[in-house]
Amino acid sequence: MPSRESRPVVGPVDIHTLQRDGRGVGRLGARTVVVSQAYPGDSVITRVDVETKSVFQGRVKRVVASTATRRPSPCAHADWCTGCPYLGVDRDAEIGWKKGFVEDEARKQGIELPDGWRFETPTSPYEWRHFAKQIFGLRDGHLVLGSYVQGTHVVVDNARCSVLVPELQVLLERVVAAARHVEARPDNVGSPGLLHVLARASRVGGQSQLVIATRDPSGADALAIFEKIVPLDPELVSGWVLIQETPSNNLLEGRALHVHGFRDLTDTLLDVECRIGPASFFQANPACAETMFREAVERAGAGRSALDLYSGVGILAVGLAKRFERVTAVEAVEEAASLIAKNAAKAGVSVDAVHADVETAVDLLLDRGPFDVVVADPPRKGLGPRGTHVVTRLAPVRLVLLSCDLSAWGKDARTLADSGYKLASFSVYDAFPRTAHVEVLSVFERV
Ligand SMILES: C[S@@+](CC[C@H](N)C(=O)[O-])C[C@H]1O[C@@H](n2cnc3c(N)ncnc32)[C@H](O)[C@@H]1O
């Protein structure tokens, strides 16, 4: 991996606008320059990571002149990591830009936002993240855990990442120390080796679950790390090794070995004590999700039947089951789908869990319907044309939609409006402070 100093440098570049992904944009001759942690009003010398005929993409090497909203970053990797583009700016400025991007998207799609729509900031901008996905790499010959620089396969060291909860910061530091001690190597450095880790800490209880993925067919490198860290960390209650002998973009694909403690982690959200398996989705910012889910369930109302699409381990479904006589939940990951009924039973309610892709489940759902209300919390790509088709075929009176990508929300909102659904309420949650992402909670009613 090239060291940070060996990258080409350009500038100064005057930054004139901010892209929706939080990066500043300027011009240098015929080229557009896109810079992480640079903001309108800044002039920056830029370290270039990606160069094409028309674009330089990179990070700030030095600020020559700075906008009044620039602030010193508390993160040790601020000039190096591209995960949090708003790290170097005042929080109010970040919120102002994010609100502006929301209004732009609504305008672009011809969707009228209700007057007084809310932008909620329920959590601290730091130490909110209870889930880490980090990649093993080498820096100056030493093994590190970190993330890719945007648009590249260069791994930057993320030790003590400032948006992670402290217990995960410590856990990942221990993983790196143990890996160095047992002389484990990242993959593709001579022989098959360590790929990545997935680490989760529960908000209630502060316990953690760790998955170490490796290309080593025996898993010996990952097992040696567990041997070192387990005696140091009584809060590490669930450990897995994932052997991925064939390359895959799916971080969870491979042969999973349960190597320590419980199979699942337990956490509580929306008063639901739930089990979370290593392959199951769970909210990265549970404190924010708690407030947002409470609003989602309240806006769903109460009545005879509700459907929770993309339900994960079923938190929203269980919340709905306290208000509706009959609740069905649909989830594609088998492990998560199998936990829904258990999590519901623990909460003293019942949910009919369906293990299926939403997009192919329409006939089955038409049989189980009708549903008064549908709640949908799809992955980043949103409902898309196929997901919205399922919802409109089911024709609920109300749809509560959670969207973690603004552009996907815009497209879904447009399709829903064209299918006879009117936007009735709208809030945005700053669920991922300092990053470019937000969560949109929108309610549509059939007209
Ligand atoms: C954003 S998460 C929401 C989960 C849940 N609402 C929660 O907060 O715990 C999206 C969920 O959809 C699931 N999923 C992804 N694609 C799917 C599909 N095509 N059909 C059904 N579920 C899917 C994922 O496994 C994940 O659990």
Side-chain angles (χ1 to χ4, degrees):
M1 187 184 86
S3 76
R4 61 175 90 183
E5 287 73 26
S6 68
R7 305 207 150 259
V9 163
V10 296
V13 184
D14 293 340
I15 302 297
H16 52 74
T17 39
L18 198 76
Q19 290 190 163
R20 198 181 282 190
D21 67 6
R23 291 184 297 172
V25 182
R27 277 205 85 74
L28 205 62
R31 277 180 164 121
T32 301
V33 188
V34 183
V35 192
S36 184
Q37 292 180 52
Y39 314 101
D42 280 345
S43 180
V44 292
I45 307 283
T46 300
R47 182 186 302 124
V48 177
D49 293 312
V50 179
E51 180 178 353
T52 69
K53 266 193 188 142
S54 55
V55 177
F56 284 127
Q57 177 190 306
R59 291 160 284 162
V60 175
K61 181 172 169 61
R62 188 160 59 82
V63 179
V64 177
S66 87
T67 164
T69 52
R70 182 171 272 287
R71 296 285 176 271
S73 168
C75 176
H77 315 292
D79 64 337
W80 189 229
C81 176
T82 52
C84 295
Y86 290 107
L87 264 181
V89 79
D90 177 74
R91 181 86 172 115
D92 287 342
E94 172 189 354
I95 292 168
W97 276 314
K98 285 179 169 173
K99 281 182 182 165
F101 293 137
V102 169
E103 283 165 347
D104 287 349
E105 181 62 31
R107 208 172 303 118
K108 177 174 147 199
Q109 300 294 349
I111 302 289
E112 196 177 325
L113 297 181
D115 285 343
W117 68 271
R118 290 173 300 119
F119 188 93
E120 304 282 0
T121 53
T123 55
S124 146
Y126 298 104
E127 299 185 355
W128 51 265
R129 208 176 160 83
H130 283 248
F131 178 61
K133 255 187 297 193
Q134 294 200 350
I135 299 136
F136 287 103
L138 275 188
R139 169 133 180 250
D140 302 330
H142 297 292
L143 175 140
V144 295
L145 261 179
S147 58
Y148 289 127
V149 170
Q150 198 161 350
T152 76
H153 281 98
V154 175
V155 177
V156 295
D157 185 355
N158 262 347
R160 295 270 168 181
C161 166
S162 60
V163 295
L164 273 188
V165 290
E167 51 271 43
L168 284 186
Q169 295 183 20
V170 172
L171 175 62
L172 296 179
E173 213 160 53
R174 287 194 171 128
V175 170
V176 170
R180 288 179 178 174
H181 194 264
V182 301
E183 297 182 358
R185 306 292 286 166
D187 192 45
N188 281 335
V189 184
S191 52
L194 296 169
L195 292 165
H196 57 265
V197 301
L198 304 169
R200 178 174 278 134
S202 61
R203 185 172 59 115
V204 176
Q207 296 184 315
S208 52
Q209 179 178 60
L210 177 69
V211 181
I212 304 182
T214 177
R215 197 91 78 203
D216 176 349
S218 71
D221 48 3
L223 282 164
I225 296 173
F226 271 107
E227 246 173 62
K228 287 263 163 228
I229 62 175
V230 163
L232 301 176
D233 193 346
E235 301 305 336
L236 176 59
V237 296
S238 171
W240 292 79
V241 170
L242 187 68
I243 299 174
Q244 289 195 326
E245 288 180 65
T246 46
S248 165
N249 285 332
N250 181 347
L251 294 189
L252 286 165
E253 212 162 83
R255 192 155 48 88
L257 309 178
H258 179 207
V259 297
H260 170 64
F262 301 111
R263 202 188 169 286
D264 304 319
L265 184 70
T266 302
D267 204 353
T268 302
L269 195 58
L270 211 65
D271 304 323
V272 181
E273 186 189 295
C274 50
R275 283 167 55 185
I276 309 152
S280 308
F281 172 89
F282 198 72
Q283 296 287 332
N285 184 346
C288 179
E290 175 92 11
T291 319
M292 185 173 66
F293 280 10
R294 216 170 278 291
E295 182 184 343
V297 169
E298 272 164 22
R299 294 215 182 263
R304 272 181 310 121
S305 58
L307 172 65
D308 177 18
L309 296 177
Y310 310 92
S311 62
V313 295
I315 297 142
L316 284 165
V318 174
L320 293 168
K322 295 177 182 168
R323 300 166 149 255
F324 288 82
E325 288 165 28
R326 193 165 53 78
V327 173
T328 302
V330 183
E331 165 59 41
V333 170
E334 190 172 5
E335 173 196 276
S338 73
L339 289 171
I340 297 171
K342 291 179 187 139
N343 291 333
K346 183 96 200 208
V349 293
S350 146
V351 170
D352 177 21
V354 176
H355 167 222
D357 283 340
V358 166
E359 297 76 7
T360 55
V362 68
D363 291 336
L364 181 151
L365 293 172
L366 283 168
D367 276 353
R368 298 194 188 198
F371 299 104
D372 304 327
V373 174
V374 172
V375 174
D377 184 7
R380 192 152 281 169
K381 65 183 178 5
L383 289 172
R386 294 179 70 207
T388 27
H389 175 71
V390 173
V391 172
T392 52
R393 281 288 306 281
L394 295 171
V397 289
R398 184 173 305 134
L399 166 70
V400 178
L401 177 63
L402 289 146
S403 316
C404 57
D405 182 89
L406 194 51
S407 306
W409 169 79
K411 290 189 196 112
D412 288 346
R414 186 64 257 153
T415 313
L416 288 162
D418 294 342
S419 313
Y421 280 85
K422 185 173 174 9
L423 183 63
S425 94
F426 185 81
S427 342
V428 178
Y429 282 81
D430 198 21
F432 316 102
R434 313 268 80 183
T435 79
H437 306 287
V438 292
E439 279 268 0
V440 176
L441 168 53
S442 50
V443 180
F444 293 86
E445 292 193 341
R446 206 175 64 206
V447 284

